[in-house]
Amino acid sequence: MAVKEPESEPRIEVLSGIGGGLVCGIAVGLSAIFMAESIRVSEEYATWRASVESAASIPGFTVAGRDIKGINFSGKSLHNADFTKADLRGAKFRDADLTGADFTGADLREANLIGANLQDASLMNANLGNASLHSANLTHATIAGPQTSFFETKVNARTCWPKGPTPEQLNVLINGVVVQKYTDDESGLTLTREDDKKDRVIGGQQAPGCALWKHGMRIHP
């Protein structure tokens, strides 16, 4: 009499079910880990951003790949900050102290740099198209570079440009700027592009002959 072989299919189905459950459990566990890590990173970023927004002085500030869109840097002291190749379109740096800051290759289109101190800063290959540099200080700043652009950059008769190049060479470097009116509080005079021609610089003055800035310090409001 033949002995009937035991059926193996139920065992296979059981093992398959167990395997599927393990895989599902691992996937859920990994998802929970990734979610927890994502929350941790998000919370760290929120804390970092809040500290940057509230701080008055951040020497050596660096972007380090973080999203800084919308942060208002106006009035802050950012000595030797690193904004290399950063996306700073529309950024606010009004009256900020950016002494020694590195903006090499940065996109500064439409940025507000009115009254900013950019002494010793690097703007090599930076795009300042439509940015505002009214009354800003660029003494000793590096503005040369094959990709540096001042196309329609807004300046006035008190924008302070680096010393070193001749006025003619400087005019080539800053070709494309738009000179806007400047009302001098001390004299009450309104200075225009025609007044700029007196010192042969097309948009402002050249260090060390700047009326607003001396030795990296603003001497007039």
Side-chain angles (χ1 to χ4, degrees):
M1 184 176 178
V3 178
K4 185 177 180 181
E5 292 289 334
E7 294 182 0
S8 60
E9 288 184 1
R11 294 182 182 179
I12 294 173
E13 290 177 356
V14 170
L15 292 174
S16 177
I18 294 172
L22 288 172
V23 171
C24 183
I26 292 171
V28 171
L30 289 174
S31 296
I33 292 171
F34 289 142
M35 183 176 293
E37 178 64 11
S38 178
I39 292 172
R40 183 189 67 80
V41 172
S42 179
E43 289 177 346
E44 285 184 356
Y45 170 73
T47 301
W48 173 85
R49 187 180 178 102
S51 65
V52 170
E53 290 176 335
S54 62
S57 178
I58 319 174
F61 173 84
T62 180
V63 177
R66 299 183 183 94
D67 178 15
I68 58 173
K69 195 74 173 176
I71 294 179
N72 189 347
F73 293 101
S74 295
K76 295 184 184 296
S77 179
L78 296 159
H79 283 213
N80 302 312
D82 185 1
F83 291 101
T84 305
K85 297 183 178 180
D87 183 355
L88 298 167
R89 287 173 291 179
K92 297 177 181 179
F93 290 102
R94 184 169 187 140
D95 296 320
D97 188 348
L98 296 160
T99 302
D102 191 351
F103 290 97
T104 301
D107 189 346
L108 284 157
R109 285 176 290 176
E110 301 182 359
N112 185 341
L113 291 153
I114 295 173
N117 188 357
L118 289 155
Q119 171 141 319
D120 297 312
S122 174
L123 294 168
M124 182 179 291
N125 295 329
N127 187 346
L128 290 105
N130 286 297
S132 298
L133 280 173
H134 306 81
S135 305
N137 176 36
L138 291 94
T139 304
H140 302 301
T142 302
I143 63 173
Q147 296 178 343
T148 304
S149 174
F150 289 100
F151 181 69
E152 296 189 351
T153 302
K154 300 173 184 66
V155 300
N156 62 20
R158 289 296 180 258
T159 300
C160 184
W161 296 102
K163 64 180 181 180
T166 65
E168 290 74 23
Q169 291 171 329
L170 180 58
N171 288 339
V172 172
L173 291 172
I174 64 175
N175 183 42
V177 298
V178 176
V179 185
Q180 299 185 328
K181 292 181 179 180
Y182 169 80
T183 301
D184 189 283
D185 294 332
E186 190 173 4
S187 66
L189 298 175
T190 298
L191 307 178
T192 65
R193 187 184 182 96
E194 294 302 313
D195 296 288
D196 282 332
K197 290 182 178 179
K198 295 176 182 178
D199 58 9
R200 295 157 47 202
V201 177
I202 62 173
Q205 299 173 312
Q206 188 172 15
C210 298
L212 293 183
W213 298 90
K214 297 294 179 186
H215 309 299
M217 301 293 292
R218 184 154 182 164
I219 58 176
H220 290 298

